[in-house]
Structure formats: structure tokens, C-alpha cells
Amino acid sequence: MAVTLVNPDGLPKPDVYRQLSIATGSRLVFLAGQVARDAEGRKVGEGDFAAQVEQCYLNVGTALTEIGGSFDDVAKLTIYVVDWSADKMPLLGEGVARAAEKLGVDPVKPITLLGVSALGESDLLVEVEATAVLD
């Protein structure tokens, strides 16, 4: 595996993400932000935050599979959430868990979560951007 995830001593050890990833692969992959659209561009989970998170993660997995990788190769995620508040955390976790089950992966990665006022289209509630490392 090209990516090893670590919660080092001296830093908090959260359950839902890791503080850092160590990449040893030779190909860096920078994936554009993925949104709640299926392969045909149709809206998925309109108004449903958990469903949109799930679709974003599935899209990350699909993109990486197409180039010979998988979600396991993700070194870092950046998640943009419209009007973020702590009460959305359970729904974020629900969407991530559903995607992880479908992908058959451990979704725990280093994550930066940013609250934003809007995304590129008015129906989008979340966007997930990924950096991956492949051997």
C-alpha cells in the first residue's frame, strides 16, 4: 500500500480521521472536487446531506478505480460543506459509513472540513476533493 495512516503521539487521536498520511508511491493523483452526481450527471440525494456525502465518496472511489487505484490510496480529503454546523456531523458520518460499506474500505483519512456559503450549483450541499498516491 502506498499510503500509511498515522495518529502520532503528542497529537489528539480522533476516531473519525487520522492526523497524517505517509505516502511512498510514485504517482500523485489530484482529484477534482466530487459532488452528488451519478455517472450520467443526474442529481443524487437532492436535499439529503448524508446521501450527497455518500455519492461524493463513491465518486472518489470510482475515479480511482478507473486509473488502477482505490479509495484505500487516498492520502488526504478536503470536504466542503454548505452552511456547516456541528449538528451535521452525524449525517456526515452516516454518508461516509454507507459509502465505506459499498466500497469495502476504511474511510478514515486525514481530512480538512471547511464550511462554505455555497458550491458551484445551488442544490449541492457537499463537495469532496481527494489527493491519492499510487505505486
Side-chain angles (χ1 to χ4, degrees):
M1 183 84 25
V3 178
T4 302
L5 303 174
V6 178
N7 266 336
D9 290 337
L11 293 177
K13 294 178 177 29
D15 292 331
V16 295
Y17 67 92
R18 295 297 172 259
Q19 294 287 2
L20 55 93
S21 61
I22 302 165
T24 57
S26 58
R27 290 192 300 159
L28 291 177
V29 178
F30 302 94
L31 181 60
Q34 297 300 299
V35 297
R37 299 288 186 264
D38 66 12
E40 287 76 39
R42 294 182 297 241
K43 296 176 183 180
V44 174
E46 193 161 7
D48 183 339
F49 181 64
Q52 288 198 18
V53 169
E54 177 183 5
Q55 186 63 46
C56 292
Y57 270 64
L58 293 174
N59 288 350
V60 169
T62 297
L64 292 172
T65 298
E66 276 294 308
I67 60 167
S70 75
F71 196 91
D72 286 330
D73 296 309
V74 170
K76 169 117 177 24
L77 295 168
T78 303
I79 302 175
Y80 303 89
V81 179
V82 175
D83 297 325
W84 172 256
S85 61
D87 64 319
K88 291 183 179 177
M89 186 61 83
L91 294 172
L92 177 66
E94 178 184 328
V96 169
R98 291 192 321 225
E101 184 176 329
K102 288 180 180 176
L103 293 167
V105 299
D106 180 353
V108 176
K109 307 288 181 181
I111 294 174
T112 298
L113 191 148
L114 300 168
V116 297
S117 61
L119 293 168
E121 297 177 46
S122 62
D123 64 301
L124 297 174
L125 304 174
V126 61
E127 185 169 330
V128 178
E129 178 182 277
T131 301
V133 180
L134 285 70
D135 285 322

